[in-house]
Amino acid sequence: MTAIEPGKTRIGWIGTGVMGHSMCGHLIDAGYQATVYNRTAEKTKGLVGKGATAVDSPRAVAENSDVVFTIVGFPSDVRQVILGEGGVLEGAREGMVLVDMTTSDPSLAIEIAEAAKAIGVQAIDAPVSGGDLGARNAALSIMIGGDAETVRRIDPLFQLMGKTIVYQGGPGSGQHTKMVNQTLIASGMIAICEGLLYAHKVGLDIPTVLKSVSSGAAGSWSLSNLAPRMINGDFDPGFFVEHFLKDMKIALDEASKRNLALPGLALGYQLYHAVAAQGHRRDGTQSLILALAKLNGFDWKNENR
């Protein structure tokens, strides 16, 4: 593959949902020609309006691209769009680079890297953190596994999507790092919700409380970005509950393989199952506050007004 350059390097993008649409949009805005695919074709229209070409299969994306990015929902989706019939590797050619930015199984990332290498393609796993805001603002944290030289060559593309871009090691390393990230978030989200519930019940003005605690030792990205959404009753997805459940299960399974006990993560997993059971599977992860409020016998949406 030649040097990465706008106007010369052809970009493929598979998965134009909450995050993927913005991420691909940044590449188009920088001058890259893009070929896009999404199972729901309607979701590609905004990118087509920017100049992208929509096609009807992942294979067609690969046939028209030098670097293909995927960011889909679940590991089964990753397997289908990359390794399945009509998938990326069917349309790939020697020298192409495949970058999966879905949060997925580390073992699948290794399997894909090996299958790609067999046909002269480099496969990189590069899951991200930062949600819809990070995607829109090109401020994502990108955790990268795969061939170091390939990662170096495609770095100009990562720079258009993220602010914290770190190479972690060989295939699967990016996914393992994302499991660390999700483990940290799971327990942190419980703490944020419990703090807000406490503030509410003792009669404090919660936005005023946040002014004190968000810049101190308790501060975090989730506290600064998701707690205000909880207060305002905004449960639109920056990151779906059902996808967070998927991530936590992957992390717990990987931990189990290593006889590693992670009770905080296990608690988060169970509590988010309660969120899903209450009808919030397709809401944002900040909807945990609704389930914990219900556990305490009140309706957060109504009582917090």
Side-chain angles (χ1 to χ4, degrees), residues 126-205:
V128 300
S129 181
D132 60 331
L133 290 174
R136 287 200 301 269
N137 297 327
L140 294 167
S141 174
I142 306 176
M143 310 157 217
I144 308 173
D147 176 69
E149 175 58 23
T150 302
V151 172
R152 186 194 65 78
R153 284 191 289 127
I154 64 173
D155 183 68
L157 300 174
F158 289 134
Q159 294 293 336
L160 293 170
M161 296 182 280
K163 284 188 176 178
T164 304
I165 301 155
V166 183
Y167 175 68
Q168 298 292 340
S173 298
Q175 297 294 354
H176 278 303
T177 304
K178 183 62 185 289
M179 293 306 108
V180 174
N181 186 85
Q182 302 305 72
T183 299
L184 292 166
I185 289 173
S187 296
M189 287 293 288
I190 297 170
I192 289 167
C193 293
E194 290 182 346
L196 296 187
L197 291 170
Y198 180 93
H200 172 71
K201 278 298 185 182
V202 300
L204 293 172
D205 180 72

Side-chain angles (χ1 to χ4, degrees), residues 23-97:
M23 294 161 72
C24 182
H26 294 314
L27 301 183
I28 295 172
D29 290 343
Y32 289 94
Q33 175 189 339
T35 301
V36 299
Y37 168 79
N38 196 80
R39 284 182 300 186
T40 305
E42 181 75 18
K43 293 183 179 180
T44 67
K45 285 189 174 180
L47 296 172
V48 171
K50 284 177 172 279
T53 300
V55 294
D56 61 2
S57 71
R59 174 176 179 164
V61 172
E63 290 171 341
N64 291 280
S65 305
D66 302 308
V67 183
V68 173
F69 293 88
T70 57
I71 182 164
V72 291
F74 295 87
S76 58
D77 300 317
V78 174
R79 180 176 293 280
Q80 179 59 43
V81 302
I82 294 175
L83 299 174
E85 183 178 351
V88 171
L89 292 190
E90 282 192 2
R93 68 191 178 287
E94 186 173 354
M96 196 191 84
V97 177

Side-chain angles (χ1 to χ4, degrees), residues 203-214:
L204 293 172
D205 180 72
I206 302 179
T208 303
V209 171
L210 287 184
K211 290 179 182 178
S212 292
V213 303
S214 61

